[in-house]
Amino acid sequence: MMIKYIILLMSSVLCGSLAYAQMLSQEQFIDEMVIRHDFDRNSLIKLLAKAKVRPNILKAIARPGEAKPWYQYRPLFVNEKRIHQGVEFWKNHAETLARVQSTYGVPAEIIVAIIGIETIYGKEVGNFRVIDALTTLSFHYPPRAHFFRDELENFFLLCREEKLNPLNPKGSYAGAMGIGQFMPSSFRQYAIDFDKDGQRNIWSNAQDVIGSIANYLNSYGWEVSQPVITATQVRPEAVNKLLALEFKPYPLEQLEQQGLLFHGDKPKNSKGMLVDLETEQGTAFWIGFQNFYVITRYNRSKHYAMAVYQLAQEIAKNYVKTI
Amino acid sequence: MPWRFTNLLKKLLKIMSRLFNVLCSFLLMSLTACTASNPKPYIPATSSVEQAPSPNHNKISKTTHISHHEIQGQASWYALTAHGMRTESGEIYDLYGLTAAHASLPFSTPISVTHLQTGEQVIVTVNDRLSEQSEQNVLVKLSYQAAHQIGLLKYPSAQVKIQSLPRNHLFPSRLEKRE
């Protein structure tokens, strides 16, 4: 009987201290914003009091990734509807896309494809208030608290820089914002005011979105007029070892020594990464070059990057028929 | 009598379809300034790689000429093992590409391929050669994606009809340099 009471007492003390620890962390956050960035303490306290904890965000982030095989993932993004809408988007923003192509060397169809996959060309940009998403994940999700806390800091800074009310911007359940789904840290580093109207607006200004995505890819090392990815063969006994390498490009000579059988034209000193995709015929291989790797910097998924590339090819093919 | 009437109708349809085909071939020829009046198969005069028709090509058992520029026959598709191999044109075969192997059509020729059972059509670019020994009875071998699009995987034994298209049908020349 006594033991039950002791356990009850100890667990309530524990809960209380955990809650205290969480509150302390929000207090710490406010402290840091005040000291580092000269924010007004009372304003921040009032603002954070208005932020709401969203249980469905916690559910979404804890859900294990569905990990569809490639041949089921592909038709979700590389389909007639998205191709057709991509062509329309290109036609509506042809001038900006051409300007961005000459400024940054990133092909128009790659930018269009990214926008198509991220938000269906701006149709689905997320319905959560960014402040809710980031406070929920910073202070109520320990596994990634550090990452989201940094994003929250960047979010307040960008709102101040762009003169936005922090309660207004909307985004995904993880705080990805606007037509290109930029995280606040990426916004602050790579978003640009491409039409020079005095504001970096990635929520409703297509020119800024297009320019920002191009700037992002360029900054991550997009190589002008270089291939993205090419089909390849691999020695069967070398597959596992090559796939165990880090998810980044290696010198092709090194990969060939390890069993890559690439029959395509190789630019000198080129680097690549082995990409395996499950097709309806079985596992097929590609060699992703630097530009493929750059697309994965937008979203660290080989499925995502391949879908961007293939959607881009289809959009480009269909776009030329219309001009 | 009913059978005489249907016979007449058939003759009329035959004449009309012949007229239509002649009209089409005139249009096609004028589009590509083809000087030689070669009824079979259609090879654009602007092609840079002239291939002599392979000995297989006129075997009646393999192909049927439907008209001046349409050919009907058996289609196959590439196995997975071909993915990543170099084709005869030098391009790398990618199972997601829309490409095809043909006995003689010049590389970069676009051809429309229509599945005669499903009615589905795809436009592919010729970039490879059929094997003379093992693919004697095949008119065209398609990339996996092309075969998938026209329902060839579901109905592999049905025939297809192919038709050559003008070189610039798919891409204006500036796009060929794209990556």
Side-chain angles (χ1 to χ4, degrees):
Chain A
M1 207 46 179
M2 250 323 243
I3 293 175
K4 269 198 188 158
Y5 278 127
I6 291 170
I7 290 171
L8 194 66
L9 188 68
M10 283 175 71
S11 51
S12 56
V13 166
L14 198 66
C15 280
S17 59
L18 271 176
Y20 180 71
Q22 255 165 19
M23 277 174 62
L24 193 64
S25 155
Q26 198 160 315
E27 274 278 314
Q28 255 180 343
F29 176 77
I30 294 171
D31 277 341
E32 281 160 6
M33 295 302 284
V34 169
I35 294 165
R36 273 196 225 151
H37 306 297
D38 217 10
F39 271 72
D40 178 66
R41 182 181 298 278
N42 285 327
S43 309
L44 267 183
I45 292 171
K46 272 192 208 159
L47 206 53
L48 284 168
K50 289 190 185 150
K52 294 196 177 73
V53 182
R54 302 274 178 201
N56 47 353
I57 289 179
L58 292 169
K59 273 195 212 128
I61 200 111
R63 225 183 281 137
E66 271 165 70
K68 276 190 159 72
W70 164 250
Y71 68 87
Q72 285 178 358
Y73 179 96
R74 182 182 191 268
L76 300 175
F77 301 104
V78 190
N79 56 54
E80 283 304 311
K81 193 170 180 194
R82 220 171 284 231
I83 294 166
H84 176 73
Q85 289 172 330
V87 173
E88 286 309 302
F89 183 88
W90 191 337
K91 279 159 56 176
N92 292 334
H93 304 284
E95 210 182 293
T96 309
L97 287 161
R99 191 155 71 94
V100 120
Q101 198 162 312
S102 59
T103 310
Y104 296 103
V106 181
E109 62 266 23
I110 293 287
I111 297 169
V112 175
I114 287 176
I115 292 171
I117 290 184
E118 290 293 336
T119 60
I120 314 181
Y121 312 103
K123 287 190 182 67
E124 286 181 18
V125 291
N127 263 321
F128 296 98
R129 293 194 312 180
V130 178
I131 195 170
D132 293 345
L134 295 179
T135 52
T136 300
L137 293 169
S138 296
F139 306 120
H140 302 272
Y141 190 65
R144 296 187 68 191
H146 182 75
F147 171 79
F148 285 107
R149 183 230 156 278
D150 281 349
E151 293 297 334
L152 184 63
E153 175 178 347
N154 276 290
F155 177 64
F156 281 126
L157 287 168
L158 81 88
C159 287
R160 183 164 73 176
E161 287 153 10
E162 304 299 320
K163 299 188 180 48
L164 302 171
N165 179 346
L167 296 172
N168 289 344
K170 293 251 181 99
S172 75
Y173 73 79
M177 312 178 300
I179 295 170
Q181 298 285 276
F182 271 49
M183 290 301 285
S185 59
S186 299
F187 179 98
R188 291 191 67 233
Q189 282 181 78
Y190 304 108
I192 56 170
D193 174 18
F194 202 57
D195 64 351
K196 302 225 172 16
D197 70 348
Q199 214 182 20
R200 302 191 286 175
N201 176 0
I202 59 167
W203 290 268
S204 56
N205 186 325
Q207 290 196 59
D208 287 357
V209 172
I210 290 166
S212 301
I213 295 174
N215 185 40
Y216 186 99
L217 298 173
N218 178 58
S219 302
Y220 271 95
W222 183 272
E223 290 177 348
V224 183
S225 302
Q226 288 301 305
V228 175
I229 191 164
T230 306
T232 188
Q233 304 234 309
V234 192
R235 287 191 204 283
E237 64 272 15
V239 170
N240 288 333
K241 194 160 156 221
L242 285 168
L243 291 177
L245 292 171
E246 276 179 61
F247 191 62
K248 64 170 196 189
Y250 288 81
L252 281 189
E253 289 98 45
Q254 181 185 333
L255 297 178
E256 282 175 323
Q257 275 167 29
Q258 294 184 297
L260 178 75
L261 293 169
F262 181 62
H263 302 295
D265 297 322
K266 289 190 286 274
K268 220 181 178 187
N269 303 321
S270 49
K271 290 182 167 185
M273 46 201 283
L274 186 64
V275 177
D276 62 319
L277 295 173
E278 224 183 298
T279 73
E280 277 138 330
Q281 283 189 303
T283 305
F285 299 95
W286 282 260
I287 198 87
F289 299 105
Q290 169 67 11
N291 286 345
F292 182 80
Y293 179 69
V294 172
I295 300 173
T296 67
R297 298 308 87 195
Y298 207 94
N299 182 320
R300 277 163 181 65
S301 151
K302 64 185 178 186
H303 287 182
Y304 173 90
M306 191 53 149
V308 165
Y309 173 71
Q310 290 189 344
L311 179 61
Q313 299 284 90
E314 292 300 312
I315 290 171
K317 197 160 73 175
N318 282 275
Y319 178 73
V320 259
K321 291 185 190 164
T322 69
I323 53 171
Chain B
M1 297 194 106
W3 67 264
R4 249 194 216 160
F5 178 71
T6 53
N7 230 19
L8 200 69
L9 201 67
K10 276 184 196 166
K11 276 194 182 157
L12 195 67
L13 280 171
K14 223 178 183 178
I15 293 169
M16 280 179 71
S17 71
R18 279 234 185 93
L19 270 172
F20 180 71
N21 284 330
V22 170
L23 199 72
C24 278
S25 60
F26 265 134
L27 276 169
L28 222 50
M29 284 182 176
S30 62
L31 275 172
T32 58
C34 177
T35 49
S37 59
N38 183 0
K40 46 145 175 168
Y42 179 64
I43 295 172
T46 52
S47 68
S48 54
V49 180
E50 282 296 339
Q51 299 279 331
S54 78
N56 286 342
H57 200 77
N58 297 318
K59 273 200 181 139
I60 297 165
S61 58
K62 182 180 96 170
T63 64
T64 316
H65 287 117
I66 302 168
S67 65
H68 287 311
H69 48 271
E70 274 185 344
I71 301 175
Q72 184 177 322
Q74 209 61 44
S76 67
W77 66 91
Y78 287 85
L80 180 65
T81 47
H83 181 85
M85 295 295 279
R86 220 176 166 98
T87 60
E88 288 295 320
S89 68
E91 286 178 5
I92 301 294
Y93 168 72
D94 185 317
L95 68 96
Y96 285 111
L98 295 179
T99 58
H102 188 271
S104 58
L105 282 172
F107 298 139
S108 302
T109 304
I111 55 172
S112 74
V113 182
T114 308
H115 193 286
L116 291 175
Q117 190 166 333
T118 66
E120 299 286 343
Q121 189 193 77
V122 69
I123 296 172
V124 295
T125 308
V126 175
N127 73 347
D128 202 9
R129 288 282 167 254
L130 293 164
S131 155
E132 276 181 33
Q133 304 101 309
S134 57
E135 292 169 321
Q136 277 186 28
N137 295 321
V138 172
L139 169 62
V140 67
K141 182 162 76 174
L142 303 176
S143 61
Y144 171 82
Q145 182 65 19
H148 174 72
Q149 270 180 224
I150 60 170
L152 189 64
L153 307 175
K154 269 196 191 146
Y155 305 103
S157 50
Q159 296 216 318
V160 301
K161 71 175 186 217
I162 71 171
Q163 183 176 351
S164 303
L165 300 167
R167 264 294 188 90
N168 62 359
H169 182 88
L170 284 173
F171 304 107
S173 55
R174 67 172 176 85
L175 201 63
E176 277 162 1
K177 297 194 186 104
R178 275 175 177 277
E179 276 302 338

